[in-house]
Each structure stands twice: as C-alpha cells, then as structure tokens.
Amino acid sequence: MRWTVLAVGVLAVAAPGAWAQPVTPWLHVQVNETSKASKVNVNLPLSVVEAVLKAAPEKVSADGKIKLGIDDRDVRLDDLRKAWKELKAVGDGQFVTVEEKDQHVEVARKGDLVIVRVENADKGEQVNVEVPVSLVDVVLAGPGDTIDVKAALAELAKRRGDVVRVTDKDSHVRVWIDEGK
Amino acid sequence: MFFKLAGVALAVPVAAVAAVGATGVVVVDVREGGPSGHHIVVPMPLALARAGLVLAPPDKARIDVGEAAGHIPMARGVIEAIAAAPDGEFVRVEQPDEQVVLSKSGDLLKVEVHGKRGETVKVQVPLQAVLDILPRDGGPIQAAQLATALESLRFTDLVEVHDGDDQVKVWVF
C-alpha cells in the first residue's frame, strides 16, 4: 500500500513535466505573386530565426543587438522613442489618420496592438500591420541606435496570429506566427 | 584438402573486404546518358581513408577554409538551432520553371530542386555530422573528423542529381 501511494505521488509530480511538450512558435512568411505565378512559403521556428539573425555578419552583434544606420536620415530612433512614449501614454485611439484623394492611412492602438492600415484604392493596395505594444516597447528599449533582436524575438514568440498582411493587385504577402509547421 | 586450402586463402581477402566495408564506403556513382554513356562508380572505403590520414603529414590532413573560418562558430549556431528544431518544411519556392523545397526530417536537412526540364537535385545534409566536422574554435577542418563523421552516415544518400539521362549519386554504404 505504501509503495502504491509513493508511486502515485511520484507520478503526480513527474507526469505533468514529462507530458508537457515545449511549445515552439513558428514564423511563417507567405508571398504569392499572381503575375509571375510565383509562391514562396517560409516556415521557421523562431529559435532558428534568432540563430540566423545572429549569424548575419556585422548587422547583428554577438549579444543579439542590431545597429540601425539611421543617424543621417530624417528619423532618429531617439525621436521614435519619444513619440512612442507619448503615444503609449494616450492609450487606445486613432493616432494618425491621413485622407488623400487615392490613399487612406491609419495608425491606431487597440488594446495590446498597434495597428497600421494603408489603403490605396487606385492601385488596389492594402497594407495591414499588427504589432504587439510590448514588441514596440522592446524594439525601442535599446540604447542609442540599436535594437535588441533577441528580446524582440522573445516578445514576438508570445504573439499568435497575423503580424503583417500586404495585398496589392498582383501580390499578397502574409507574415504570421503560430505553433504549427 | 584443396577446398580447405582454397577456403583459408579466400578467408583473408574476404575478411579484409568485410572489415573495410564494415566501417563504411562512400560511393560516387556517375551514369552518363546515351548509348555510349559511361558508368563510373568510385567506392572510397573510409577505413582506408582514415588509415591514409594517420600516415599523412599533419598539414595535409587539414582543410583550410580561409576567411570562412571566422564564420564557422556562427554557422554552428544556425545548424545547432536547426538540429534542435522540430521537423517540418522550412522553405518552399514554386515558380513556373522551378520548385525548391528545404525541409528537416530527423537529423537530415533536405534540399530538393526540380527544374523545368524535369531535372532534379536532392541533397541531404546530416546535421550532427556537420556539427562534428565544423571545429568549435573556427580553425581548419580536420580530415580525420570528416572521415569519422561519414562513417556515422552509413546507408545515407547524400546527393542525387538527375538531368535527362545523366545521373549522379553520392551515398555512404
């Protein structure tokens, strides 16, 4: 009887650990170009994406940070950080709306997501980007003009569903994360 | 009496061939198409290769990879991540004249290319063997490590190319 109780106790403690399968988030990229009859599907575990980014010479340093060469451009990462800090404090809402003759642009925050939508009716283009707020936080958290890719990927690993969707007349791009291959 | 002597005489070479074969043989098989096409089979016993490498001067038993040596630790990182990843189809490119598929199945990273004219290229990269070959410190590749890694790949097809009637196949037997 004592052994039975002991065995059941050991199983109760060990079984959840033994049965729990580690969840592997996969990054999927799908590019379909109808005019060229071309289809590209990329399905990679995020662990592999991280390793590949680390291997990208000179762009990503050994500690998993990417250096942006945008010092000489109009937009500086510091300016983006300041803007993001202000926007984040506002909470949910429409941050930017641009209405033009043939183009409509919206940047909004809805819950945990920053949503960017661009529509160009004339060209039949539609861009949808959904980025988790926490990911923007992580991306803009690094010092100077660096992005912590490792931390960004760790944050991205928590996301499930579409990240980017771009549709135009003859091509369709979709980037999403799930737990399937 | 004659049969006993013949048996003893045959036992030595048979045992030698069996011993060599037991450690693995890399086979390169090239078939040319057409009525006068050649068929060339080159078997390379790994036991003999290893024996030769033991006798070779140290500088001849190393493969210097030049500037690429600096990138070996990063390449190892990518291969380790792929080896630890679940099986699946990683990349598929479909175009009117070409199809490319990159997938992982167990320890093998598989590359398959199908061309417009029906030509196919199949490459299987054994991940653990590549990790065994690539030096951790990024120095030159030791040929002996290469031979040892190949020995662990018995009954594995490494490369298969079909182009019309021409065919090339490399496998470890």
Side-chain angles (χ1 to χ4, degrees), chain B residues 18-151:
Chain B
V20 167
T23 58
V25 180
V26 176
V27 182
V28 180
D29 187 333
V30 181
R31 286 168 198 257
E32 281 182 329
S36 58
H38 295 91
H39 184 194
I40 303 161
V41 180
V42 184
M44 291 183 283
L46 290 166
L48 295 183
R50 274 166 66 84
L53 287 167
V54 170
L55 301 171
D59 61 316
K60 302 287 181 199
R62 286 196 297 254
I63 302 165
D64 195 358
V65 290
E67 287 180 11
H71 300 295
I72 285 179
M74 284 186 287
R76 278 190 67 92
V78 173
I79 294 164
E80 278 167 355
I82 294 171
D87 289 1
E89 189 177 281
F90 289 169
V91 179
R92 175 177 284 267
V93 179
E94 285 181 6
Q95 289 175 335
D97 54 352
E98 197 173 48
Q99 185 192 60
V100 180
V101 178
L102 176 72
S103 62
K104 185 199 168 217
S105 174
D107 181 51
L108 295 173
L109 184 68
K110 299 179 173 186
V111 184
E112 220 169 290
V113 182
H114 296 274
K116 194 179 181 180
R117 292 176 292 114
E119 67 272 29
T120 60
V121 177
K122 290 181 186 175
V123 178
Q124 299 202 114
V125 182
L127 296 164
Q128 188 53 52
V130 175
L131 287 172
D132 291 343
I133 294 164
L134 293 178
R136 286 181 185 278
D137 56 1
I141 291 169
Q142 302 296 329
Q145 286 285 89
L146 184 63
T148 308
L150 285 170
E151 277 177 16

Side-chain angles (χ1 to χ4, degrees), chain A residues 154-175:
Chain A
E155 205 52 52
L156 206 56
K158 296 174 192 166
R159 170 110 176 110
R160 298 292 179 271
D162 284 3
V163 180
V164 178
R165 233 177 222 274
V166 180
T167 306
D168 68 21
K169 265 179 188 164
D170 58 6
S171 66
H172 178 78
V173 179
R174 184 181 169 212
V175 180

Side-chain angles (χ1 to χ4, degrees), chain B residues 149-160:
Chain B
L150 285 170
E151 277 177 16
S152 68
L153 298 176
R154 298 197 63 201
F155 312 113
T156 306
D157 291 345
L158 298 177
V159 179
E160 202 175 332

